Amino acid sequence: MALKLVTALAGGVGAARFLEGLIRVVKDEEISVIVNTGDDIELYGLQISPDVDIVIYTLAGIVDDEKGWGIKGDTFHCLEALQRYGYDTWFMLGDRDLATHIHRTHLLKKGFRLSEVIDKERIALGVKARIIPMTNDKVETIMVTDKGDIHFQEYLIKRKTQDEVLKVIFKGIEKAKPAPGVIDSIMKAKGITICPSNPIVSIGTILSVPGIRDSLRETKAKIVGISPLIAGAPVKGPADKLMSSLAMQLQIEKEEVSAYGVAKLYRDFLDAFIIDNLDANLKEKIEALGIKVIITDTIMKGLKEKMELAKVALKAIGV
Ligand code: FO1
């Protein structure tokens, strides 16, 4: 594999927004993105990889900017028709988006591996950055809740995070192998960024694939994280809620549901951590973990802010 300059670990919307800035300040061919696939779900016989699609659609410039997922201007005729057949259509699959899932499922059935399918998808959509799933094996993020075991997408979208989460299981993770290129892109990168994604069900899932966390500890590349929490809350998603419910297992205190708590979860491999101006008071505490802290504006309102944040991250890893 040709050496890439920057490798990013990514979940969905937050990561994609950061990467939109990154591809504008470093050549996109020089970027490898390792994406969470624990959120993947099969619906209507189709294989859906939401985080991968969010990253690819965003970098291809076709994402629905407002929602952060799906395709800009998409229609939902197919879903409406499925509803008439009696399907519970809680997962909003647009007509154009469905083409991606049909294509992916078709190729997987023909025997291509997920990483090969994703490579074809990003090339067809004109994305030059390399997009790699964390694994080609099936891993499912299951929320163990007071109402039973629920797939992550069902917990997030259908049930709107209303259930109390007792535990998170990454079903299949013990046997999962990093996809081709994952370990190499960590070991051979000049620098690594941990995108502002959910530390439990996005980055946490990637880190749980056997071998990935060890390679982050071993690589000579500098590693910078961007806090997904600002003043204790995420821009999007249930990161704070999950950190609070799972505090004991994560070995953090409930009061540590903050950029500090996230830094603690990554302390064994992080060189530097970017936190928001609003969290400047956490600097000393995080530095006491042995992590360099950079304080800046991390709210990515527009392209300018995304590029500024990417520049700060690149400086931190010496690229
Ligand atoms: N997120 C929602 O909040 N509601 C949806 O109906 C929904 C559908 C959807 C379809 C395709 C896709 O690629 C993503 C979709 N997402 C939807 C986003 C996604 O479920 C989550 O944001 C991520 O999995 C969390 O990273």
Side-chain angles (χ1 to χ4, degrees):
M1 190 195 81
L3 176 68
K4 301 264 177 184
L5 214 51
V6 184
T7 293
L9 265 59
V13 182
R17 289 190 170 141
F18 171 74
L19 293 168
E20 238 186 312
L22 191 67
I23 60 161
R24 283 173 175 88
V25 294
V26 66
K27 267 195 182 164
D28 37 11
E29 296 97 322
E30 295 291 344
I31 301 169
S32 295
V33 189
I34 300 168
V35 189
N36 168 40
T37 54
D39 293 10
D40 291 13
I41 187 166
E42 194 188 310
L43 290 169
Y44 321 113
L46 299 175
Q47 189 55 44
I48 299 155
S49 295
D51 285 0
V52 168
D53 291 340
I54 288 169
V55 169
I56 294 181
Y57 292 165
T58 304
L59 298 187
I62 60 168
V63 79
D64 180 323
D65 289 312
E66 219 167 282
K67 294 196 295 229
W69 50 268
I71 297 177
K72 216 182 284 186
D74 213 348
T75 50
F76 294 86
H77 301 302
C78 180
L79 216 62
E80 284 155 22
L82 283 169
Q83 215 166 0
R84 287 202 294 276
Y85 286 121
Y87 290 95
D88 182 5
T89 54
W90 54 273
F91 199 69
M92 296 298 287
L93 294 169
D95 297 323
R96 288 181 201 144
D97 187 25
L98 274 164
T100 303
H101 315 311
I102 293 169
H103 179 54
R104 173 180 305 123
T105 308
H106 178 64
L107 291 177
L108 287 171
K109 284 208 167 136
K110 275 174 84 171
F112 287 97
R113 294 178 298 175
L114 184 63
S115 52
E116 294 169 321
V117 177
I118 289 169
D119 208 43
K120 288 181 191 295
E121 180 189 344
R122 65 102 186 161
I123 290 168
L125 295 181
V127 172
K128 291 193 184 124
R130 186 167 185 223
I131 312 293
I132 321 172
M134 62 182 199
T135 180
N136 278 331
D137 301 313
K138 186 175 173 177
V139 173
E140 260 181 312
T141 302
I142 303 290
M143 315 306 272
V144 178
T145 77
D146 53 341
K147 301 278 169 8
D149 294 3
I150 308 172
H151 188 286
F152 173 71
Q153 295 294 350
E154 200 174 339
Y155 158 78
L156 181 72
I157 298 162
K158 188 176 181 184
R159 300 188 56 80
K160 303 192 185 334
T161 73
Q162 62 182 292
D163 308 297
E164 200 195 323
V165 176
L166 310 170
K167 204 173 160 191
V168 176
I169 295 173
F170 304 126
K171 201 172 153 194
I173 202 92
E174 299 82 9
K175 290 201 181 122
K177 288 178 289 303
V182 167
I183 300 297
D184 247 20
S185 66
I186 292 173
M187 296 310 290
K188 295 183 183 162
K190 173 115 197 276
I192 296 172
T193 68
I194 311 292
C195 293
S197 299
N198 190 308
I200 301 167
V201 291
S202 297
I203 303 298
T205 325
I206 301 175
L207 295 174
S208 301
V209 176
I212 295 189
R213 192 169 200 128
D214 286 343
S215 59
L216 286 167
R217 289 189 189 124
E218 282 163 28
T219 182
K220 289 198 173 66
K222 284 251 176 290
I223 307 178
V224 65
I226 299 107
S227 177
L229 296 187
I230 301 173
V235 174
K236 200 174 187 298
D240 52 343
K241 217 172 158 173
L242 288 179
M243 278 177 80
S244 176
S245 304
L246 304 173
M248 227 163 67
Q249 290 153 50
L250 297 169
Q251 297 180 327
I252 58 166
E253 303 295 327
K254 287 225 188 240
E255 311 74 70
E256 293 174 357
V257 177
S258 65
Y260 172 71
V262 179
K264 228 174 154 183
L265 297 179
Y266 301 160
R267 65 190 295 180
D268 53 323
F269 57 81
L270 218 55
D271 294 296
F273 201 42
I274 301 175
I275 63 172
D276 195 78
N277 292 321
L278 291 174
D279 289 319
N281 60 314
L282 298 173
K283 182 175 193 277
E284 270 181 36
K285 246 179 115 180
I286 298 174
E287 287 194 330
L289 298 170
I291 300 165
K292 185 179 174 214
V293 171
I294 300 146
I295 302 168
T296 188
D297 180 10
T298 63
I299 300 178
M300 296 176 279
K301 290 176 221 92
L303 197 53
K304 186 171 161 276
E305 288 83 4
K306 289 172 193 167
M307 286 166 67
E308 283 311 315
L309 188 58
K311 280 184 200 162
V312 173
L314 288 177
K315 194 171 165 214
I317 51 177
V319 174

